[in-house]
Amino acid sequence: MAVAFLLYVFAEIAAIWAVGSAVGVLGTLGLLLAGAFLGSWLARREGGKAMRAFTSAARSGRPAEKELTDGMLVGLGGVLILVPGFISDVLGLLLILPPSRAVARRWWLKRMEKRAVRFANRRRGPAMVVDSEVVSPEEPRRDPPTVIEGRIIEG
């Protein structure tokens, strides 16, 4: 994990250096600030849409994994946009824009489904399927009540 982080930092520095060589220092700072402002505006707009969709799904009583995952991806995209650097800005924009977010959502939900099955099998062993059927209860009997004659003896 540390190696991946170091590679990411090296790639960000190389991208900033390349853009800085092409447009200059002020141009690079301007692009970074413009990306942050544009990205935060997009993240706020798409996050609001995701929240409204989640609320609508919750009120209608249907599963909201799509809406919840969209909100999570928009939030992650917003964080990536606020991290200084061009690579993180591009990744953040890809997570915020709806067409590429749909691809990321499908990948994420498929990954989480596999992890959930693996976790469940690890916790309780292999899954067991029981075949059954639903039977409606029988109607109550209409027999007359049983009467027992006798005496009560106290004492």
Side-chain angles (χ1 to χ4, degrees), residues 50 52-68:
R52 285 188 294 278
F54 173 74
T55 305
S56 171
R59 284 188 180 146
S60 67
R62 60 183 172 85
E65 69 261 0
K66 174 186 174 278
E67 292 82 4
L68 194 60

Side-chain angles (χ1 to χ4, degrees), residues 63-84:
E65 69 261 0
K66 174 186 174 278
E67 292 82 4
L68 194 60
T69 305
D70 274 352
M72 178 202 65
L73 291 173
V74 168
L76 179 60
V79 168
L80 284 173
I81 283 177
L82 293 178
V83 171

Side-chain angles (χ1 to χ4, degrees), residues 73 76-78 80-81 87-97:
L73 291 173
L76 179 60
L80 284 173
I81 283 177
I87 296 174
S88 63
D89 285 354
V90 169
L91 290 175
L93 282 174
L94 287 175
L95 290 177
I96 289 175
L97 296 174

Side-chain angles (χ1 to χ4, degrees), residues 14-155:
I16 290 173
W17 190 291
V19 171
S21 296
V23 298
V25 174
L26 291 178
T28 303
L29 290 176
L31 284 173
L32 286 171
L33 286 174
F37 282 119
L38 175 69
S40 62
W41 175 78
L42 271 174
R44 183 176 177 161
R45 190 185 88 186
E46 292 297 321
K49 283 183 183 178
M51 184 61 189
R52 285 188 294 278
F54 173 74
T55 305
S56 171
R59 284 188 180 146
S60 67
R62 60 183 172 85
E65 69 261 0
K66 174 186 174 278
E67 292 82 4
L68 194 60
T69 305
D70 274 352
M72 178 202 65
L73 291 173
V74 168
L76 179 60
V79 168
L80 284 173
I81 283 177
L82 293 178
V83 171
F86 292 112
I87 296 174
S88 63
D89 285 354
V90 169
L91 290 175
L93 282 174
L94 287 175
L95 290 177
I96 289 175
L97 296 174
S100 53
R101 186 174 64 228
V103 173
R105 179 185 348 105
R106 279 193 300 272
W107 174 80
W108 179 260
L109 289 175
K110 196 178 298 184
R111 183 174 184 260
M112 287 299 108
E113 184 179 342
K114 286 180 183 176
R115 288 188 70 181
V117 168
R118 201 172 342 136
F119 178 75
N121 288 340
R122 189 177 334 138
R123 291 275 299 182
R124 61 178 154 76
M128 178 186 297
V129 178
V130 177
D131 189 19
S132 62
E133 89 181 59
V134 176
V135 179
S136 61
E138 295 180 17
E139 295 222 4
R141 292 185 173 178
R142 302 273 184 212
D143 295 339
T146 305
V147 178
I148 301 175
E149 293 190 24
R151 293 184 288 158
I152 300 175
I153 300 174
E154 293 182 25

